[in-house]
Amino acid sequence: MNPSYTRREFLATAAVGVTLATLNPETLSANPVQETTMTQTVPAAFAASHELKPLPFDSSKLDGFSEKLIRSHWESNYGGSVKALNIVKQRLAGLLDDANTPPFVYNDLKREHLLRTGSVVLHELYFGNLGGTGKPDQALGKILSEAFGSANAWEKEFKRMGAGLGGGSGWVMLGYNLHTGLLENYWQWDHAHAPSATLPILVMDMYEHSYQMDYGAAAPAYVDAFFRNIHWETVAVRLDKALKVRALLVAGAVR
Amino acid sequence: MNPSYTRREFLATAAVGVTLATLNPETLSANPVQETTMTQTVPAAFAASHELKPLPFDSSKLDGFSEKLIRSHWESNYGGSVKALNIVKQRLAGLLDDANTPPFVYNDLKREHLLRTGSVVLHELYFGNLGGTGKPDQALGKILSEAFGSANAWEKEFKRMGAGLGGGSGWVMLGYNLHTGLLENYWQWDHAHAPSATLPILVMDMYEHSYQMDYGAAAPAYVDAFFRNIHWETVAVRLDKALKVRALLVAGAVR
Amino acid sequence: MNPSYTRREFLATAAVGVTLATLNPETLSANPVQETTMTQTVPAAFAASHELKPLPFDSSKLDGFSEKLIRSHWESNYGGSVKALNIVKQRLAGLLDDANTPPFVYNDLKREHLLRTGSVVLHELYFGNLGGTGKPDQALGKILSEAFGSANAWEKEFKRMGAGLGGGSGWVMLGYNLHTGLLENYWQWDHAHAPSATLPILVMDMYEHSYQMDYGAAAPAYVDAFFRNIHWETVAVRLDKALKVRALLVAGAVR
Amino acid sequence: MNPSYTRREFLATAAVGVTLATLNPETLSANPVQETTMTQTVPAAFAASHELKPLPFDSSKLDGFSEKLIRSHWESNYGGSVKALNIVKQRLAGLLDDANTPPFVYNDLKREHLLRTGSVVLHELYFGNLGGTGKPDQALGKILSEAFGSANAWEKEFKRMGAGLGGGSGWVMLGYNLHTGLLENYWQWDHAHAPSATLPILVMDMYEHSYQMDYGAAAPAYVDAFFRNIHWETVAVRLDKALKVRALLVAGAVR
């Protein structure tokens, strides 16, 4: 692949910019200095450009989850984070040149930026790996087996980590670490925790909004229901891509 | 690229297994049950296989960093995390089948696993992007400019975030988010925080061991010194690769 | 008050010790070295001595909370933390003299100790300040007014903080800081966060297990229901005591 | 003691209010809406009233700490948090009635409020328990012995926790938990972590700014030096007061 082509592609897709006129005027009124620059474009890194991604399955058809819970999770928890992320980016754009904002106060918003980015990305991956049935195919099972000793050992650790996070917040992630080349299960305390340089392969939401409505405090029962609904084809494709990505990264590796 | 080839490559490299005979016998004595299985291999996800990566530059040649600080940072802080990560993995391997360990206690070690993985990965990337001089080349400058409005705007935010983390722990990361396709600066509170699904392009350690010895509490002076020593060629290669990875991921995207 | 008397009282009440014979033998089997010392007492700091405190109100009588939610919250979330805290203390007691446990692994359990201590203390205070009706009495209203400008300003900030924690974990605490002498509202991200040297006056649980079952994602509606059930007499007594405590501490203050 | 007297005392001392005229005009310019209310008083909970407390010892006279480190720690790290706390409170006061600030953004500042409050309180207690020599007196030793099995056991755990926090941030606290009546060692990850309802008796700063300048990465050597300089008389007085406070709280306990 041609690097300069890739760069052009990037410039064309990632940096389209968003005119402030498309942003919520109500919120903008809090940042009056911006109003005079309505025709300017906001660079991609600060653009409030995040949009809700629809559920890739029928919310009434999961085995062991009420439609009410899935709708509430998607609309209020995921949807709330999409809105919040856009608001945070607008505020960061407005404060970037404000010398009166001390760095540690600016960082309070950058923490929220990290938290909400994590929430948006992880929720999209979560709903993305739900809506299926069945089991891992043979190829996926073999990779899990090689990495964890057996597919059962992998599942056992993954579920145990879920049970341990019951009653609070967090995520369990099967991730492919692009730096170490290891396929591991990672514990995450909240949306802002994550393994560095890692592609998520299978993510399980352990925030209580994922299960309280249907399962109360019975987190392990939720974990079992989650497993009945994993979309294994998606998991397999993610892992296949991750392995290709790793091959690309180690070929002619940096320093 | 052939998926099945990639899978074979993965099986060959990532899951080689490590015999327990290679592990520190002193530490093993705490897990006597393991001693009878010395000939078994530990699967990759639990293998204490992490090794120190040498500095890619002469530690006495950085502009504005004493050799003492760089050696201490590499040997004690990075090196300490490599050792700690291996110990954590040995313990996880020993506890995986221990029904007496409640899930929340198992997770205490998985938190340490996340923390130490982050420390090892981020430190290797940090030393990897040090040891240079000069400035971003034109192509890199253009990408930064498209993403942040200008290369100056990017640098301003990155440095401000560093100043805001002075006096504590944390990292500032310029990262390419493989899920959203955005190039952004991310705030990290400690080694366990990170943006999900993101390739680090430039990382700056803000733990006080990165600067206290040479700069005391003057975090912004450290940040300036850090910038004088960035290895921009490495940063450019990482970004080039990240853009190729993104192209690979969005081609025939999942669901 | 006589210091030596107070010390005697402390020795009599806090350090009674618990024989290991009273502990769960199943869990003990994981620490075989302890089995030979069954007749020894465990010092208070490491004793698994925490017991469930009953609800101070009828769980079926709150306005806007189902009995099912309150029972689940008390039994599974609070009760789970009482059990977990006792397990953590047993393990700490067993590891205190184990030279094979590195300090950072020991600290993983001390983090759990902090987390579970916070959960037990805060839940007891939470249920303790529920089960009432009405409003703050005049004296309490006056103190809130002096500290926050008006009782309404206090309530506004407290509720806003609750709304901001919706969808995740955390606590809102009206606390009297014994070091600064300030009555303030404090934000807590999880059970392990808290203001230093502070007596909680009114605590509101914002973990989703406090409301998801009855209110779904509607955190502000839960906050309103919480306010309808505050036991203001308890709040007033706590504040009265806190003010007396502060007077005791500043009299002949240290250094 | 008379409750109404205590309340009057509180009103007189805690809620004096601060005119905005005394605040830094440069910072105020960021909140123009406030400028028209310069003669109003800010209620105590939002007043930028925190002032630097002088060191209670000669910074050149500690055994094993350079004057440079102590001055830097006091001026930049502690002093920086005092300033930051005042800025945060000004901003909170300005945003309390701002309907355009979403609750989660308001909470970003409340997190900073918690963090900086912790830093100010803990640093004052830290410097307060330094500057001494010798050992715990007999009475203190006896209490430690009753709570931990022996004074040596207490010291061993305290020091081990310090070693485990080396290379990062955090605090080790010997604290008297006013809710449980237990004297325990607590692990704190940063200034925002703390045990609920607990009076600090002895605090040890494990942020790297406490030792890097003199000890590099050798955290255990710092911990030993810290112990050589503990002001045990202060520790004893704090514990005496804590025991009296506990007696006051359990007498006629709430619900």
Side-chain angles (χ1 to χ4, degrees):
Chain A
M1 189 177 293
N2 187 326
S4 62
Y5 170 78
T6 312
R7 273 174 174 159
R8 273 200 306 277
E9 183 190 59
F10 171 75
L11 301 183
T13 57
V16 291
V18 175
T19 66
L20 274 167
T22 64
L23 301 179
N24 178 358
E26 193 178 55
T27 318
L28 278 176
S29 65
N31 301 314
V33 69
Q34 293 292 340
E35 288 179 5
T36 58
T37 60
M38 294 290 280
T39 55
Q40 282 193 322
T41 56
V42 178
F46 299 99
S49 56
H50 296 274
E51 291 177 12
L52 273 175
K53 196 174 168 181
L55 283 173
F57 53 81
D58 181 336
S59 58
S60 69
K61 296 285 172 55
L62 293 193
D63 173 15
F65 291 97
S66 67
E67 183 171 12
K68 188 182 166 195
L69 181 149
I70 296 292
R71 296 304 305 177
S72 170
H73 193 174
W74 183 82
E75 284 177 19
S76 297
N77 300 111
Y78 162 58
S81 275
V82 170
K83 282 184 211 156
L85 180 54
N86 283 334
I87 291 173
V88 167
K89 291 201 160 188
Q90 279 178 267
R91 290 187 169 247
L92 286 170
L95 291 174
L96 194 57
D97 291 319
D98 178 13
N100 283 319
T101 301
F104 71 89
V105 173
Y106 188 82
N107 276 359
D108 291 338
L109 275 177
K110 290 299 294 191
R111 173 184 168 275
E112 193 75 43
H113 169 242
L114 178 71
L115 187 80
R116 298 297 181 167
T117 298
S119 179
V120 168
V121 170
L122 290 166
H123 274 113
E124 292 181 357
L125 293 166
Y126 174 74
F127 293 124
N129 59 217
L130 277 180
T133 56
K135 297 191 173 182
D137 67 16
Q138 209 177 349
L140 178 55
K142 191 172 180 186
I143 294 179
L144 288 171
S145 185
E146 291 289 339
F148 292 87
S150 71
N152 277 348
W154 163 73
E155 184 175 323
K156 190 177 171 184
E157 191 192 45
F158 194 94
K159 287 183 166 178
R160 192 188 209 176
M161 291 165 67
L165 282 168
S169 59
W171 294 83
V172 183
M173 179 205 286
L174 169 68
Y176 187 74
N177 192 309
L178 296 173
H179 185 84
T180 63
L182 294 175
L183 184 67
E184 299 181 298
N185 289 324
Y186 293 106
W187 169 100
Q188 302 180 227
W189 190 238
D190 58 27
H191 308 312
H193 283 71
S196 292
T198 296
L199 274 176
I201 307 301
L202 174 69
V203 300
M204 178 168 67
D205 195 343
M206 290 307 304
Y207 276 65
E208 292 172 304
H209 55 243
S210 311
Y211 59 89
Q212 265 277 336
M213 224 181 267
D214 288 352
Y215 292 96
Y222 155 68
V223 170
D224 285 338
F226 171 83
F227 264 76
R228 289 199 303 276
N229 292 277
I230 292 176
H231 197 270
W232 289 108
E233 298 85 342
T234 293
V235 176
V237 173
R238 284 183 191 160
L239 184 51
D240 242 15
K241 294 206 172 207
L243 297 173
K244 288 181 192 164
V245 165
R246 168 74 174 167
L248 189 157
L249 290 173
V250 296
V254 193
R255 304 182 89 189
Chain B
M1 188 175 292
N2 187 326
S4 62
Y5 170 77
T6 312
R7 274 175 173 157
R8 274 201 305 277
E9 183 191 60
F10 171 76
L11 300 183
T13 57
V16 290
V18 174
T19 67
L20 275 166
T22 65
L23 302 179
N24 180 357
E26 193 177 54
T27 318
L28 278 175
S29 65
N31 301 314
V33 69
Q34 294 291 342
E35 289 180 4
T36 58
T37 61
M38 293 291 280
T39 54
Q40 282 192 321
T41 56
V42 178
F46 299 99
S49 56
H50 296 273
E51 292 178 12
L52 273 175
K53 197 174 166 180
L55 283 173
F57 54 81
D58 181 337
S59 59
S60 69
K61 295 287 171 53
L62 294 194
D63 174 14
F65 291 96
S66 67
E67 182 172 9
K68 188 182 166 196
L69 182 149
I70 296 291
R71 297 304 306 178
S72 170
H73 193 174
W74 183 83
E75 284 176 19
S76 298
N77 300 110
Y78 162 58
S81 275
V82 170
K83 281 183 212 157
L85 180 54
N86 283 334
I87 290 172
V88 167
K89 291 201 159 188
Q90 277 179 272
R91 291 188 168 249
L92 287 170
L95 291 174
L96 194 56
D97 291 319
D98 178 13
N100 283 320
T101 302
F104 71 89
V105 172
Y106 188 81
N107 276 0
D108 291 337
L109 275 177
K110 290 299 295 191
R111 173 185 169 273
E112 193 75 43
H113 169 241
L114 178 71
L115 187 81
R116 298 298 181 168
T117 298
S119 179
V120 167
V121 170
L122 290 165
H123 275 114
E124 291 181 359
L125 293 166
Y126 174 74
F127 292 123
N129 59 216
L130 277 179
T133 55
K135 297 191 172 182
D137 68 16
Q138 209 177 350
L140 179 55
K142 191 171 180 188
I143 293 179
L144 288 171
S145 187
E146 291 288 339
F148 291 88
S150 71
N152 277 348
W154 163 73
E155 184 176 324
K156 190 177 170 181
E157 191 193 46
F158 194 94
K159 287 183 167 178
R160 192 189 211 177
M161 290 165 66
L165 282 168
S169 58
W171 294 84
V172 183
M173 179 205 285
L174 169 68
Y176 187 75
N177 192 308
L178 296 172
H179 184 83
T180 63
L182 294 174
L183 185 66
E184 299 180 299
N185 290 323
Y186 293 106
W187 169 99
Q188 302 180 226
W189 190 238
D190 58 28
H191 307 311
H193 283 71
S196 292
T198 297
L199 273 176
I201 307 301
L202 174 69
V203 300
M204 179 168 68
D205 195 343
M206 290 306 303
Y207 275 67
E208 292 172 304
H209 55 242
S210 311
Y211 59 88
Q212 265 278 337
M213 224 182 266
D214 288 351
Y215 292 96
Y222 155 68
V223 171
D224 285 339
F226 171 82
F227 264 75
R228 289 199 303 278
N229 293 278
I230 292 176
H231 197 271
W232 290 107
E233 297 85 342
T234 293
V235 176
V237 173
R238 285 184 191 159
L239 184 52
D240 243 15
K241 294 206 171 206
L243 297 174
K244 287 180 192 165
V245 166
R246 168 76 175 165
L248 189 156
L249 291 172
V250 295
V254 192
R255 302 184 90 190
Chain C
M1 189 177 289
N2 186 328
S4 63
Y5 170 77
T6 311
R7 276 173 172 161
R8 272 201 306 277
E9 181 190 60
F10 170 75
L11 300 183
T13 59
V16 290
V18 174
T19 67
L20 275 166
T22 65
L23 301 179
N24 180 356
E26 193 177 55
T27 318
L28 277 175
S29 64
N31 301 314
V33 68
Q34 293 293 340
E35 288 179 5
T36 58
T37 60
M38 293 290 281
T39 55
Q40 282 192 321
T41 55
V42 178
F46 300 99
S49 56
H50 297 272
E51 292 177 13
L52 274 174
K53 196 174 167 181
L55 283 174
F57 53 82
D58 181 337
S59 59
S60 69
K61 297 285 171 55
L62 293 194
D63 174 14
F65 291 97
S66 67
E67 183 172 10
K68 188 182 165 195
L69 182 149
I70 296 292
R71 297 303 305 178
S72 170
H73 194 174
W74 183 83
E75 283 177 19
S76 297
N77 300 112
Y78 162 58
S81 275
V82 170
K83 281 183 211 158
L85 180 54
N86 283 334
I87 290 172
V88 168
K89 291 201 158 186
Q90 278 179 271
R91 291 189 168 248
L92 287 170
L95 292 173
L96 194 57
D97 291 320
D98 178 13
N100 283 319
T101 302
F104 71 89
V105 172
Y106 188 81
N107 276 0
D108 291 337
L109 275 178
K110 291 299 293 191
R111 172 184 169 274
E112 193 74 43
H113 170 242
L114 178 71
L115 187 80
R116 298 297 181 168
T117 298
S119 179
V120 168
V121 170
L122 291 166
H123 275 113
E124 292 181 358
L125 293 166
Y126 174 73
F127 294 123
N129 59 216
L130 277 180
T133 57
K135 298 190 172 183
D137 68 16
Q138 209 177 350
L140 179 55
K142 190 172 180 188
I143 294 179
L144 288 171
S145 186
E146 290 288 340
F148 292 87
S150 71
N152 277 348
W154 163 73
E155 184 177 324
K156 190 178 170 181
E157 190 191 47
F158 194 94
K159 287 183 167 178
R160 192 189 211 177
M161 291 166 67
L165 282 168
S169 59
W171 293 84
V172 183
M173 179 204 285
L174 169 69
Y176 188 74
N177 192 309
L178 296 173
H179 184 84
T180 63
L182 293 175
L183 185 67
E184 298 179 300
N185 289 324
Y186 293 105
W187 170 100
Q188 302 180 229
W189 189 239
D190 58 27
H191 307 312
H193 283 71
S196 292
T198 297
L199 273 176
I201 307 302
L202 175 69
V203 300
M204 178 169 67
D205 196 343
M206 289 307 303
Y207 276 66
E208 291 172 304
H209 55 242
S210 310
Y211 58 89
Q212 265 277 338
M213 223 182 268
D214 289 351
Y215 292 96
Y222 155 67
V223 171
D224 285 339
F226 171 82
F227 263 75
R228 288 199 303 277
N229 292 278
I230 292 175
H231 197 270
W232 288 107
E233 298 85 341
T234 293
V235 177
V237 173
R238 286 184 192 159
L239 184 52
D240 243 16
K241 293 205 171 205
L243 298 173
K244 287 181 193 164
V245 166
R246 167 75 174 167
L248 188 156
L249 290 172
V250 296
V254 192
R255 300 184 89 191
Chain D
M1 190 177 293
N2 186 328
S4 62
Y5 169 77
T6 312
R7 275 172 173 161
R8 273 200 306 277
E9 182 191 59
F10 170 75
L11 301 182
T13 57
V16 290
V18 174
T19 66
L20 275 167
T22 65
L23 301 180
N24 180 358
E26 194 178 53
T27 318
L28 277 176
S29 64
N31 301 314
V33 69
Q34 292 293 340
E35 288 180 5
T36 58
T37 60
M38 294 290 281
T39 54
Q40 281 193 321
T41 56
V42 178
F46 299 99
S49 57
H50 296 273
E51 292 177 13
L52 274 174
K53 196 173 166 180
L55 282 173
F57 53 81
D58 181 337
S59 59
S60 68
K61 296 286 172 55
L62 293 194
D63 174 14
F65 291 96
S66 67
E67 183 171 12
K68 189 182 165 196
L69 181 148
I70 296 292
R71 297 304 304 178
S72 170
H73 194 173
W74 184 83
E75 283 176 21
S76 297
N77 301 110
Y78 162 57
S81 275
V82 170
K83 281 183 211 157
L85 180 55
N86 283 334
I87 290 173
V88 167
K89 292 203 159 186
Q90 277 179 271
R91 289 186 170 250
L92 287 169
L95 292 174
L96 194 56
D97 291 319
D98 178 13
N100 283 319
T101 301
F104 71 89
V105 172
Y106 188 82
N107 276 0
D108 292 337
L109 276 177
K110 290 299 296 191
R111 173 184 168 273
E112 192 76 42
H113 170 243
L114 178 71
L115 187 81
R116 298 298 182 167
T117 298
S119 179
V120 168
V121 170
L122 290 166
H123 274 113
E124 292 181 358
L125 293 166
Y126 174 73
F127 293 123
N129 58 217
L130 277 180
T133 56
K135 299 191 172 181
D137 68 15
Q138 209 176 352
L140 178 55
K142 190 171 180 188
I143 293 179
L144 289 171
S145 185
E146 291 288 339
F148 292 88
S150 71
N152 277 349
W154 162 74
E155 184 176 325
K156 190 176 171 184
E157 190 192 46
F158 195 94
K159 287 183 166 178
R160 191 188 210 178
M161 291 166 66
L165 282 168
S169 58
W171 294 84
V172 182
M173 178 204 287
L174 169 68
Y176 188 74
N177 192 308
L178 296 173
H179 185 83
T180 63
L182 293 175
L183 185 66
E184 299 180 299
N185 290 324
Y186 293 106
W187 170 100
Q188 302 180 227
W189 190 238
D190 58 27
H191 307 311
H193 282 71
S196 292
T198 297
L199 273 176
I201 307 301
L202 175 69
V203 301
M204 179 169 67
D205 195 344
M206 290 307 305
Y207 276 67
E208 291 172 304
H209 55 243
S210 311
Y211 60 88
Q212 264 277 337
M213 222 182 267
D214 289 352
Y215 291 95
Y222 155 68
V223 171
D224 285 339
F226 171 83
F227 264 75
R228 290 200 301 277
N229 292 277
I230 292 175
H231 197 271
W232 289 108
E233 298 85 341
T234 293
V235 176
V237 173
R238 285 183 191 160
L239 184 52
D240 243 15
K241 293 206 173 206
L243 297 174
K244 287 182 193 165
V245 165
R246 168 75 175 167
L248 188 157
L249 291 172
V250 295
V254 192
R255 299 183 90 190

